[in-house]
Amino acid sequence: METLVVDHPLVAHKLTRLRDADTSSATFRLLAEELVTLLAYEATDGLIVRPVRVATPVADADGVALAEPKPLVVPILRAGLGMLNGMVRLMPTAEVGFLGMVRDETSLIASTYADRLPQDLANRQVFVLDPMLATGGTLVAAIELLLERGARDVTAICLLAAPEGIERVRSAFEGRPVTVRVVTAGVDAHLNERGYIVPGLGDAGDRLYGVV
Ligand code: URA
């Protein structure tokens, strides 16, 4: 599994502002979208394209268009929703499927409560949006479901990751005939006893939408 930690001053700046407990939900939402667009630029560098020819006002030119089937973007509810606009801004023709996953705060085990994904994901490049790669339980469960539907090329875009989560995803898919990548703005020190990333940015869902 490839892990790409995007090293860019704007990425670092926006991540720092997301971490700041004084950043309001409104600003957090805006920053998260902007950060995702920057991460998505890196995460989509392997998009499959087909050659096309277009007529410019001056002459014909060779170019490319995104290949079919279209890439699929899958935000994991609820916090992944805060990353969707930033992703589709960059790739407006992508299709979007939704996956609702929740982790039990005691056992930290993830379960699915909503599945709005196509049944057949063969030949699809899939981009999973999940802000926090913490224990990795949610992401592994989500990717397993995508693989069951035939996906073979999955890129997870995470605002922040913990080494424990990266290791869990790596070991879950190592040696399997699939491409799994994680693209993130940073890898933090460790998880605390409640499964939160340290220093992290807190509960991404609460930071995005307020505590409910
Ligand atoms: N989920 C979050 O929102 N934050 C963490 O630090 C870990 C999991």
Side-chain angles (χ1 to χ4, degrees):
M1 183 195 79
E2 185 200 347
T3 303
L4 175 65
V5 184
V6 178
D7 182 15
H8 188 287
L10 280 175
V11 168
H13 167 74
K14 289 177 197 300
L15 177 60
T16 306
R17 293 205 53 211
L18 285 176
R19 289 185 190 280
D20 189 340
D22 287 337
T23 297
S24 68
S25 276
T27 306
F28 192 97
R29 281 197 291 272
L30 207 63
L31 285 165
E33 281 187 19
E34 292 171 354
L35 184 52
V36 171
T37 304
L38 295 173
L39 297 180
Y41 178 75
E42 301 284 350
T44 50
D45 67 350
L47 272 182
I48 300 170
V49 292
R50 62 182 167 84
V52 293
R53 200 160 169 77
V54 292
T56 81
V58 180
D60 285 355
D62 290 322
V64 298
L66 292 190
E68 298 280 338
K70 294 188 177 112
L72 182 73
V73 176
V74 181
I76 299 185
L77 307 178
R78 111 185 122 131
L81 218 45
M83 301 171 73
L84 182 58
N85 283 348
M87 184 74 191
V88 295
R89 180 178 301 139
L90 196 72
M91 207 166 45
T93 56
E95 289 176 4
V96 181
F98 296 90
L99 201 49
M101 307 207 79
V102 66
R103 71 170 185 170
D104 183 287
E105 289 301 330
T106 313
S107 68
L108 303 182
I109 292 172
S111 58
T112 307
Y113 67 87
D115 170 359
R116 301 288 292 178
L117 296 175
Q119 284 302 320
D120 181 10
L121 295 178
N123 302 316
R124 286 265 186 150
Q125 290 180 294
V126 183
F127 296 87
V128 178
L129 307 179
D130 192 9
M132 308 299 274
L133 174 50
T135 64
T138 301
L139 190 56
V140 167
I143 295 174
E144 288 289 6
L145 200 147
L146 296 166
L147 299 184
E148 275 168 30
R149 304 256 167 108
R152 291 291 171 267
D153 182 346
V154 180
T155 299
I157 302 180
C158 305
L159 300 180
L160 207 48
E164 295 91 329
I166 290 174
E167 176 51 25
R168 178 133 170 217
V169 177
R170 191 198 60 73
S171 64
F173 302 106
E174 189 180 50
R176 292 168 64 175
V178 293
T179 301
V180 174
R181 288 172 83 206
V182 172
V183 177
T184 184
V187 179
D188 273 5
H190 58 90
L191 297 178
N192 68 14
E193 62 294 341
R194 293 180 55 217
Y196 278 82
I197 297 176
V198 181
L201 50 76
D203 185 302
D206 289 351
R207 298 289 312 273
L208 280 163
Y209 304 117
V211 184
V212 278

